[in-house]
Amino acid sequence: MSNPIIAPRKKISPPRNTWRGWFRYFHYDETKDSPNEARNVLLVVMALIAAVTFQSGVNPPGGVWQDNDGHHAGRAIYAFQPHTFYVFLVSSTLALSTLLLVIVSLTYRFPLHLEIWVATASMIVTYASAIFAVTPRENVKVCYILIITALPLIMRILIQMLRQLKSEANEPVTEVDEG
C-alpha cells in the first residue's frame, strides 16, 4: 500500500571515481533526505564527537603522573607545557559545550527532554571536575573556562534575540483608525 502524500524517492547511484562527485553525493539534499533522517545523523555524529571530547578531558593526552617525584600524582603530564595545554583545554571545553548544546537543541520536545537536560548538565559538571582534578592549579584560570563553557549558549541566545529584533523591525507598521 503506497502513501499518495509521500513522493516516491528517486534512486541516485553513487559516482564512480571523482572525489568531488562523492562529496556532492553525500550532501544534504531536501529532495532525497528527510529532516528526521538528517536530525538522526546529526545526533549520532554529535554523540560520537562528544564522547571523544569528553574522554580527552577526563583522560588528557600523555596521561597523568603516577608518582610524586618532583610533581603531583594525578596531574596531567601535558599540563607542564602550559600554553599548548591551555589551548587543548579551551578547545576541548568549547567543543564539548557546543556539542551538548546542539544535542539538546536537536532533542527539543522529545520524550524525556528534562532527563536529557539533567544528563547534559551532569556531563558538563563531570567534565569540569575532571579537568580541574588533573590540571595544576596554576594552569587553570577558572573564570575563563566557565566563560568558554557558557559561550555557545550565550551566543545562541544573542543570535535569537537579534533575529527577534530584526523580525520586529521588518514588520509593517499598521495605522490605527482613530475615527
Side-chain angles (χ1 to χ4, degrees):
M1 179 185 263
S2 66
N3 188 344
I5 297 173
I6 299 174
R9 292 181 182 254
K10 55 184 175 181
K11 180 133 175 133
I12 301 172
S13 59
R16 296 239 163 118
N17 290 326
T18 65
W19 171 255
R20 192 168 156 181
W22 276 101
F23 192 70
R24 197 174 296 143
Y25 177 72
F26 286 110
H27 272 170
Y28 174 73
D29 182 2
E30 291 178 2
T31 61
K32 69 174 185 171
D33 300 319
S34 74
N36 260 351
E37 289 173 351
R39 180 175 42 194
N40 289 340
V41 168
L42 284 173
L43 281 171
V44 169
V45 170
M46 294 295 142
L48 289 171
I49 297 171
V52 170
T53 307
F54 180 83
Q55 184 61 29
S56 72
V58 173
N59 200 3
V64 294
W65 294 108
Q66 300 298 315
D67 56 19
N68 284 326
D69 190 19
H71 37 261
H72 291 92
R75 300 281 188 223
I77 296 170
Y78 191 32
F80 286 90
Q81 299 173 3
H83 298 295
T84 55
F85 182 71
Y86 204 66
V87 168
F88 161 76
L89 197 60
V90 166
S91 301
S92 182
T93 303
L94 185 60
L96 184 66
S97 58
T98 302
L99 291 166
L100 293 178
L101 178 64
V102 170
I103 290 170
V104 167
S105 298
L106 288 173
T107 58
Y108 183 66
R109 294 191 180 193
F110 271 31
L112 305 174
H113 186 69
L114 176 63
E115 289 79 0
I116 293 171
W117 268 101
V118 170
T120 302
S122 300
M123 192 169 174
I124 289 174
V125 169
T126 302
Y127 175 82
S129 63
I131 63 171
F132 289 128
V134 300
T135 305
R137 302 290 178 252
E138 60 273 4
N139 287 11
V140 177
K141 294 169 181 67
V142 176
C143 64
Y144 294 147
I145 298 298
L146 293 175
I147 290 170
I148 290 165
T149 302
L151 191 62
L153 181 61
I154 292 168
M155 287 177 55
R156 174 53 49 201
I157 291 170
L158 289 175
I159 288 169
Q160 290 302 111
M161 288 172 57
L162 288 173
R163 283 183 180 164
Q164 182 70 28
L165 288 172
K166 186 178 177 182
S167 70
E168 289 174 4
N170 290 338
E171 288 180 5
V173 178
T174 57
E175 294 185 27
V176 179
D177 187 21
E178 295 183 22

